[in-house]
């Protein structure tokens, strides 16, 4: 039987987590939910456990990228077939999980990104972020030939081959997005997008504040550049 | 270089060299980090003693004073040692990340097993 794992990386989200988990259960009751507790100081892990989710707690806060990679490692060692990653703060709509999974479970694709820009535009991020996203979209299109509208979306679904590949040390743990897509594309994985609904984080907290956007752009450009310079490990049976 | 300058430079080189050896002996400094300290202090010591070599090097790099060459060498050494640290730090960060993840996954496994045991009782 095909097993699906829904990975929710969470840092101090004890308030929003119940809503997200309830939404996921309503959409896809057969899937198992894994909450990766990224060094939360509030009761995130306890709340998750009480709601019947699987919980893996990182010993200290290591960031979004490390948390989701921990989810991939869990999926690999517990032999899941498909993986969906969704944010813990309610930005992603769990009702779109099945939309995201469809191209992967049907075998049409290896990796699906949930794009907020296809279909109904439910939430527009601030201007600076939009400019950054457009820039990397264009760059990605140039480098991979693939048209990606939402490269920073953390709402993704993929198959076991992809998450196995991503457990390696070449997974960009800082801000995995455009450079990750480039890496997957070069390794021969088939990537597609599906429209999803996203909502602004209701308490206005952002992962990106202060000097972080500057570092983000620098890091992305450097990461994309070196990804092009490296020899990418190939997926078995993949074509370049 | 005046005699005073030479003597001072030689003393500094000897002190750095011996201190480094002592730190390694006491296991306070790993051998891999002592390489640059030892080779730089040795090199500067030799250059001061073989003064004509220092003069040739000075002309070669386009400097005027031999003391400039020594200063530049010290700066270059600091640069190299910082690069060595950056590389080592990157490696350690990566290892630490993997270790943290392993820790989390093992702990979850353990909790699962403990739960199963208590259920079986």
């Amino acid at each position: 039987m095909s097993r699906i794992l829904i990975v929710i990386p969470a840092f101090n989200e004890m308030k929003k987590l119940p809503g997200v988990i309830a939404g996921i259960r309503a959409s896809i009751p057969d899937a198992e939910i894994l909450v990766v507790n990224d060094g939360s100081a509030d009761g995130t892990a306890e709340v998750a456990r009480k709601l019947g989710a699987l919980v893996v707690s990182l010993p200290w806060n290591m960031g979004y990228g490390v948390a989701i990679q921990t989810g991939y490692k869990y999926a690999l060692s517990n032999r899941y077939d498909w993986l969906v990653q969704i944010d813990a703060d309610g930005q992603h709509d769990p009702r779109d999980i099945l939309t995201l999974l469809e191209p992967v479970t049907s075998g049409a694709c290896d990796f699906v990104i949930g794009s907020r820009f296809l279909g109904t535009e439910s939430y527009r991020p601030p201007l600076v972020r939009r400019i950054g996203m457009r820039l990397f979209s264009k760059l990605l299109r140039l480098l991979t030939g693939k048209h990606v509208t939402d490269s920073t979306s953390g709402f993704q679904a993929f198959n076991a081959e992809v998450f196995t590949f991503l457990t390696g040390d070449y997974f960009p743990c800082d801000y995995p997005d455009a450079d990750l897509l480039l890496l997957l594309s070069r390794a021969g994985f088939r990537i597609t997008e599906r429209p999803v609904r996203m909502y602004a984080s209701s308490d206005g907290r952002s992962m990106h504040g202060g000097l972080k956007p500057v570092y983000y752009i620098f890091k992305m450009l450097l990461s994309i550049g070196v990804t092009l310079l490296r020899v990418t490990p190939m997926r078995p049976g993949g074509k370049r | 270089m005046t005699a005073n300058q030479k003597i001072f430079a030689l003393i500094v080189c000897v002190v750095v060299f011996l201190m480094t050896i002592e730190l390694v002996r006491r296991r306070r400094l790993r051998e891999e980090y002592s390489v640059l300290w030892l080779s730089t202090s040795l090199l500067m010591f030799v250059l001061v003693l073989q003064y004509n070599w220092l003069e040739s090097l000075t002309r070669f790099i386009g400097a005027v004073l031999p003391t400039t060459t020594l200063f530049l060498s010290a700066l270059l050494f600091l640069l190299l040692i910082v690069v060595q640290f950056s590389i080592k730090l990157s490696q350690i960060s990566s290892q630490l990340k993997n270790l943290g993840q392993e820790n989390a996954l093992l702990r979850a496994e353990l909790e699962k097993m403990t739960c199963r045991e208590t259920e079986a009782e």
Side-chain angles (χ1 to χ4, degrees):
Chain A
M1 202 190 78
S2 286
R3 296 166 69 220
I4 303 171
L5 184 69
I6 316 280
V7 177
I8 314 176
F11 177 58
N12 293 333
E13 295 286 3
M14 65 178 282
K15 294 207 184 83
K16 310 253 185 70
L17 202 52
V20 174
I21 291 181
I24 297 172
R25 291 247 167 78
S27 272
I28 182 167
D30 293 331
E32 286 175 70
I33 300 175
L34 171 72
V35 171
V36 182
N37 170 24
D38 192 4
S40 302
D42 67 4
T44 296
E46 289 68 42
V47 166
R49 234 174 251 121
K50 281 212 188 81
L51 292 167
L54 301 159
V55 178
V56 167
S57 288
L58 290 171
W60 60 88
N61 176 259
M62 295 206 256
Y64 177 81
V66 177
I68 41 165
Q69 192 190 33
T70 310
Y72 304 157
K73 293 185 173 181
Y74 185 91
L76 177 61
S77 60
N78 288 278
R79 296 200 221 120
Y80 284 88
D81 301 294
W82 324 104
L83 190 147
V84 177
Q85 58 188 60
I86 183 171
D87 280 359
D89 59 5
Q91 277 197 48
H92 302 151
D93 192 333
R95 291 173 293 178
D96 293 319
I97 289 179
L98 291 169
T99 317
L100 274 187
L101 270 173
E102 193 274 318
V104 182
T105 51
S106 69
C109 260
D110 302 306
F111 185 92
V112 184
I113 305 162
S115 171
R116 76 201 88 186
F117 299 122
L118 298 174
T120 51
E121 216 175 282
S122 37
Y123 147 62
R124 283 173 80 83
L127 183 69
V128 180
R129 212 162 159 215
R130 280 212 310 277
I131 292 176
M133 285 157 94
R134 286 271 291 278
L135 175 79
F136 287 111
S137 254
K138 289 212 163 68
L139 189 59
L140 261 183
R141 187 190 204 156
L142 197 73
L143 294 170
T144 63
K146 294 190 174 76
H147 186 50
V148 173
T149 58
D150 196 349
S151 62
T152 67
S153 166
F155 201 3
Q156 301 166 347
F158 33 90
N159 62 22
E161 248 196 291
V162 174
F163 64 67
T164 304
F165 179 83
L166 295 177
T167 55
D169 276 331
Y170 26 79
F171 177 73
C173 274
D174 269 15
Y175 299 102
D177 58 65
D179 50 350
L180 171 67
L181 297 175
L182 178 63
L183 178 68
L184 289 173
S185 172
R186 280 166 72 82
F189 289 107
R190 302 159 298 170
I191 303 175
T192 190
E193 277 188 316
R194 281 291 181 276
V196 296
R197 284 155 291 192
M198 286 202 199
Y199 311 104
S201 188
S202 55
D203 59 8
R205 250 190 316 136
S206 173
M207 277 198 295
H208 316 284
L211 277 175
K212 282 205 191 135
V214 180
Y215 173 68
Y216 170 79
I217 292 178
F218 158 76
K219 199 263 168 177
M220 273 303 149
L221 288 173
L222 179 62
S223 189
I224 289 174
V226 294
T227 304
L228 291 171
L229 291 171
R230 288 182 193 131
V231 178
T232 310
M234 275 292 282
R235 62 172 284 215
K239 297 183 282 288
R240 271 213 185 103
Chain B
M1 263 172 95
T2 65
N4 276 7
Q5 285 172 332
K6 285 191 192 178
I7 291 171
F8 177 71
L10 288 174
I11 289 177
V12 168
C13 290
V14 169
V15 168
V16 168
F17 191 88
L18 292 178
M19 249 181 54
T20 307
I21 298 281
E22 179 59 13
L23 284 169
V24 174
R25 189 192 72 85
R26 289 197 201 177
R27 297 183 206 278
R28 308 259 311 268
L29 183 67
R30 291 169 71 110
E31 284 83 343
E32 64 184 297
Y33 300 121
S34 70
V35 176
L36 275 173
W37 288 101
L38 293 174
S39 52
T40 305
S41 54
L42 194 62
L43 177 74
M44 306 238 291
F45 186 84
V46 166
L47 281 180
V48 171
L49 280 187
Q50 278 283 63
Y51 196 67
N52 52 323
W53 291 359
L54 182 59
E55 286 181 315
S56 306
L57 185 60
T58 308
R59 276 194 303 275
F60 182 70
I61 64 173
V64 176
L65 294 173
T67 44
T68 308
T69 314
L70 289 178
F71 279 129
L72 276 174
S73 303
L75 275 175
L76 189 63
F77 154 76
L78 283 174
L79 191 73
L80 287 173
I81 223 170
V82 168
V83 169
Q84 184 182 27
F85 289 167
S86 301
I87 293 174
K88 194 67 190 184
L89 269 174
S90 298
Q91 181 196 18
I92 292 177
S93 295
S94 213
Q95 291 172 326
L96 195 61
K97 175 209 69 137
N98 286 330
L99 203 58
Q101 289 177 321
E102 261 306 295
N103 173 285
L105 291 168
L106 282 171
R107 195 183 282 263
E109 261 310 298
L110 196 62
E111 279 169 12
K112 217 189 275 179
M113 288 189 335
T114 326
C115 259
R116 264 191 236 131
E117 268 180 28
T118 40
E119 265 168 38
E121 281 163 14

